Amino acid sequence: MEEYGIKAVTARQIYNSRANPTVEVDIVLNDGSMGRGMVPSGASTGRYEAVELRDGGSHLGGKGVQTAVRNVRETIAPALIGMDARDQKAVDAVMLELDGTPDKSRLGANAILACSMATAWAAAAHTRLPLYAYLGGALATTIPVPMIQIIGGGAHAANAIDVQDFLVIPLSASTFTAGYEMAVNVYQAAKRVFAKKGKPLSVADEGGFWPSDFTTNEEGLALLTESIARAGYTPGKDIGIALDIASSEFYDEKTGRYRFALEKRDFSREEFVDLLADWVGRYPIISIEDGASEFDWEGARLLTERLGDRVQLIGDDLFTTNVGRIRKGVTEHTYNSVLVKPNQIGTITETFEAIAVTKNNGYLPVISARSGETEDAIIVHLAIASSAGQLKVGSVARSERTAKWNEAIRIEEALGASAHYPSAGVFTDAGLRIFS
């Protein structure tokens, strides 16, 4: 146990892919093994997420994290020194007790998560095992199906269009590597489609193309469908489309209406569900995230009644990787899938609990990155360790994205014949009629 004892905890302010400060923590064990955790940050965030502690004031636009860093150095580190890094649950529990708030607002979820991540990496380093194998054991062999952004809108592209992400999911590939190559081909084809239509090529926060000069949100669907075909694939058979609507961003709590600013159109919840159902009927859409606002449980129920047997309906802002909110969603029959983001909840232990509750209730977990990312590839390892089956990272461009996709390629190679890639089975085995 002494070899696994935490000897040193070091925290610092670094910067993420959106040029915003974030927290990084190094944890060193008695034998010299070291783990490093780098915390991501979202642009489109749910109200019920754990609190990301920032300094405020004018310096760095108020987004500095020196207070969170100081909390690690002065409060968390003394409590963790000497603890067994193998006991992740105990390490996380100590930090939660130190914080003492339901949303981690005292010490900051960013301070806590950086330490939680670093602990896991350090323990894995000591065992000389890859993190996915350390966390998941011999059964950690499922390589996740990628969900890959091609066009980035909403908060990821200064709200140039209302819908936040237009993504692709490979369906006919037999390996992760082959599926990722298909998405790369679609991305390159989308470049040509953009050029043909005279649209400027620029990149949004997660590496997808910036939707300049779009006149409607549906234009993104048409362009993406054309890109899939131009890449040589059959839309809906080889590759499906996923949408991240991020509807909380344009939902009015007072009126209960949704508004597409681009088109100057307002919708009741029933009308908005009708719109999404119409899109599903006319485009090869197999997954919709946040099709209703985090404040609109009735809208989420209506959408689930309408499309829940044929489309993956993901709750992000509605659930925020929170076990209590996920259980409420199950009870109220809202959605059939949960987006899992470690920084929404704040510890590795709670992340695994959220995945377990999701799977135990027949929902599909999708492990996800954030728009403000780092080179840390921990979510790939979490996806494989938990056999989650799906991974959403962003696009195929920008190194904070490719750091994660490339890690999945390496792990698939390392597992060799042991690797299991579910492909379209991740949906059909769950009873979704994505090919209907």
Side-chain angles (χ1 to χ4, degrees):
M1 176 175 174
E2 288 185 359
E3 289 184 342
Y4 282 93
I6 295 175
K7 179 181 180 180
V9 181
T10 306
R12 64 186 64 87
Q13 176 176 280
I14 61 168
Y15 294 83
N16 67 26
S17 61
R18 299 181 69 239
N20 289 326
T22 191
V23 180
E24 177 178 87
V25 167
D26 295 344
I27 283 183
V28 180
L29 307 187
N30 286 330
D31 75 330
S33 300
M34 193 270 278
R36 172 172 291 160
M38 294 175 272
V39 178
S41 177
S44 171
T45 56
R47 184 178 296 181
Y48 302 100
E49 294 191 22
V51 173
E52 178 184 68
L53 192 62
R54 294 198 178 270
D55 299 336
S58 58
H59 183 62
L60 291 170
K63 294 187 177 182
V65 293
Q66 294 295 0
T67 303
V69 167
R70 186 166 59 251
N71 287 343
V72 174
R73 293 172 179 166
E74 297 178 1
T75 303
I76 296 176
L80 297 190
I81 299 298
M83 291 194 70
D84 187 342
R86 292 172 297 181
D87 196 342
Q88 184 78 44
K89 188 172 183 179
V91 168
D92 291 344
V94 162
M95 292 189 286
L96 296 183
E97 185 176 355
L98 284 171
D99 178 82
T101 68
D103 58 3
K104 303 176 178 67
S105 55
R106 176 173 174 258
L107 298 177
N110 43 354
I112 293 169
L113 180 60
C115 295
S116 184
M117 294 165 67
T119 299
W121 281 117
H126 178 86
T127 62
R128 299 182 185 274
L129 287 172
L131 183 59
Y132 71 87
Y134 167 72
L135 292 173
L139 297 179
T141 59
T142 298
I143 309 298
V145 175
M147 184 183 297
I148 300 174
Q149 183 196 81
I150 305 298
I151 301 170
H156 297 163
N159 296 303
I161 55 175
D162 304 284
V163 173
Q164 185 164 274
D165 291 322
F166 297 81
L167 312 99
V168 293
I169 301 176
L171 298 174
S172 62
S174 58
T175 65
F176 175 91
T177 302
Y180 186 71
E181 182 177 301
M182 292 169 71
V184 169
N185 288 335
V186 174
Y187 186 86
Q188 299 295 353
K191 282 186 182 179
R192 298 191 293 273
V193 173
F194 266 68
K196 182 185 76 171
K197 296 182 180 297
K199 296 186 181 298
L201 276 175
S202 53
V203 173
D205 284 350
E206 294 190 0
F209 297 117
W210 193 289
S212 300
D213 301 329
F214 279 38
T215 57
T216 68
N217 287 275
E218 189 175 341
E219 188 175 352
L221 280 167
L223 192 152
L224 183 52
T225 303
E226 182 178 345
S227 299
I228 293 169
R230 180 170 282 224
Y233 305 114
T234 301
K237 179 181 178 182
D238 295 314
I239 293 179
I241 289 177
L243 297 176
D244 180 358
I245 305 295
S247 60
S248 294
E249 298 291 314
F250 52 84
Y251 176 75
D252 188 325
E253 282 186 78
K254 294 181 180 178
T255 64
R257 296 183 68 82
Y258 296 85
R259 178 170 177 77
F260 277 169
L262 177 65
E263 303 163 34
K264 297 180 174 58
R265 295 174 65 192
D266 283 273
F267 307 87
S268 67
R269 65 168 60 97
E270 293 80 8
E271 291 167 340
F272 198 64
V273 168
D274 286 343
L275 174 73
L276 296 179
D278 176 61
W279 283 357
V280 168
R282 294 188 293 113
Y283 295 98
I285 298 168
I286 63 170
S287 180
I288 296 174
E289 179 182 330
D290 281 353
S293 165
E294 64 190 301
F295 312 112
D296 187 13
W297 286 88
E298 179 59 27
R301 281 191 292 272
L302 287 173
L303 185 62
T304 306
E305 290 172 4
R306 189 79 170 272
L307 297 174
D309 64 339
R310 56 183 296 201
V311 173
Q312 176 174 249
L313 299 175
I314 307 172
D316 175 17
D317 291 345
L318 192 72
F319 296 142
T320 57
T321 318
N322 183 295
V323 166
R325 295 186 66 81
I326 295 168
R327 286 182 171 138
K328 179 179 178 181
V330 172
T331 300
E332 300 203 11
H333 306 290
T334 53
Y335 300 149
N336 54 32
S337 179
V338 176
L339 203 70
V340 176
K341 298 172 176 175
N343 85 314
Q344 281 185 330
I345 195 62
T347 66
I348 297 300
T349 299
E350 290 167 296
T351 300
F352 271 98
E353 288 173 351
I355 295 169
V357 169
T358 297
K359 294 171 72 174
N360 290 342
N361 284 282
Y363 279 42
L364 296 173
V366 181
I367 313 303
S368 176
R370 302 306 298 256
S371 59
E373 266 296 338
T374 73
E375 58 270 35
D376 197 314
I378 194 167
I379 60 169
V380 181
H381 291 262
L382 294 180
I384 297 171
S386 64
S387 300
Q390 293 182 78
L391 181 65
K392 180 189 178 194
V393 167
S395 196
V396 297
R398 297 181 56 128
S399 58
E400 79 278 1
R401 311 293 154 184
T402 57
K404 297 166 182 59
W405 297 130
N406 290 338
E407 185 77 344
I409 291 171
R410 296 184 197 104
I411 294 172
E412 183 173 59
E413 179 186 89
L415 285 170
S418 298
H420 167 61
Y421 180 72
S423 196
V426 75
F427 306 110
T428 56
D429 290 351
L432 294 178
R433 298 183 292 107
I434 60 170
F435 294 114
S436 62

